[in-house]
Short mmCIF file of all heavy atoms in Angstrom, two decimals:
data_model
loop_
_atom_site.label_atom_id
_atom_site.label_comp_id
_atom_site.label_asym_id
_atom_site.label_seq_id
_atom_site.Cartn_x
_atom_site.Cartn_y
_atom_site.Cartn_z
N VAL A 11 7.86 7.71 -0.98
CA VAL A 11 8.22 8.40 -2.22
C VAL A 11 7.23 8.04 -3.33
O VAL A 11 6.78 8.90 -4.10
CB VAL A 11 9.67 8.07 -2.65
CG1 VAL A 11 9.95 8.54 -4.06
CG2 VAL A 11 10.65 8.70 -1.67
N GLY A 21 4.06 9.37 -12.82
CA GLY A 21 3.78 7.94 -12.93
C GLY A 21 5.00 7.06 -12.97
O GLY A 21 5.04 6.03 -12.30
N GLY A 22 6.00 7.44 -13.77
CA GLY A 22 7.19 6.60 -13.89
C GLY A 22 7.96 6.49 -12.60
O GLY A 22 8.42 5.42 -12.21
N ALA A 28 7.64 2.29 -6.13
CA ALA A 28 6.77 1.24 -5.58
C ALA A 28 7.39 -0.14 -5.82
O ALA A 28 7.33 -1.00 -4.94
CB ALA A 28 5.39 1.32 -6.21
N ALA A 31 10.20 -0.55 -3.36
CA ALA A 31 9.66 -0.75 -2.02
C ALA A 31 9.14 -2.18 -1.85
O ALA A 31 9.36 -2.80 -0.80
CB ALA A 31 8.53 0.25 -1.75
N PHE A 36 9.79 -7.49 0.61
CA PHE A 36 9.80 -8.95 0.57
C PHE A 36 11.16 -9.51 0.97
O PHE A 36 11.23 -10.57 1.61
CB PHE A 36 9.36 -9.46 -0.79
CG PHE A 36 7.87 -9.32 -0.99
CD1 PHE A 36 7.36 -8.49 -1.97
CD2 PHE A 36 6.98 -10.00 -0.17
CE1 PHE A 36 5.99 -8.36 -2.15
CE2 PHE A 36 5.62 -9.87 -0.33
CZ PHE A 36 5.12 -9.06 -1.33
N PHE A 38 13.09 -8.10 3.22
CA PHE A 38 13.05 -7.98 4.67
C PHE A 38 12.22 -9.09 5.27
O PHE A 38 12.59 -9.69 6.28
CB PHE A 38 12.48 -6.62 5.06
CG PHE A 38 12.18 -6.49 6.53
CD1 PHE A 38 13.20 -6.23 7.43
CD2 PHE A 38 10.90 -6.66 7.01
CE1 PHE A 38 12.93 -6.13 8.78
CE2 PHE A 38 10.62 -6.56 8.36
CZ PHE A 38 11.65 -6.29 9.24
N VAL A 40 11.54 -12.11 4.06
CA VAL A 40 12.24 -13.39 3.97
C VAL A 40 13.35 -13.46 5.02
O VAL A 40 13.51 -14.47 5.71
CB VAL A 40 12.81 -13.59 2.55
CG1 VAL A 40 13.79 -14.75 2.50
CG2 VAL A 40 11.68 -13.81 1.56
N GLY A 41 14.11 -12.38 5.17
CA GLY A 41 15.16 -12.35 6.19
C GLY A 41 14.60 -12.51 7.59
O GLY A 41 15.15 -13.24 8.42
N ARG A 54 15.72 -24.00 20.96
CA ARG A 54 15.40 -25.38 21.34
C ARG A 54 16.64 -26.18 21.60
O ARG A 54 16.70 -27.01 22.51
CB ARG A 54 14.57 -26.05 20.24
CG ARG A 54 13.17 -25.57 20.18
CD ARG A 54 12.38 -26.37 19.18
NE ARG A 54 11.02 -25.83 19.06
CZ ARG A 54 10.18 -26.20 18.15
NH1 ARG A 54 10.52 -27.08 17.24
NH2 ARG A 54 8.97 -25.68 18.11
#
Side-chain angles (χ1 to χ4, degrees):
V11 168
F36 285 116
F38 170 80
V40 168
R54 286 186 184 170

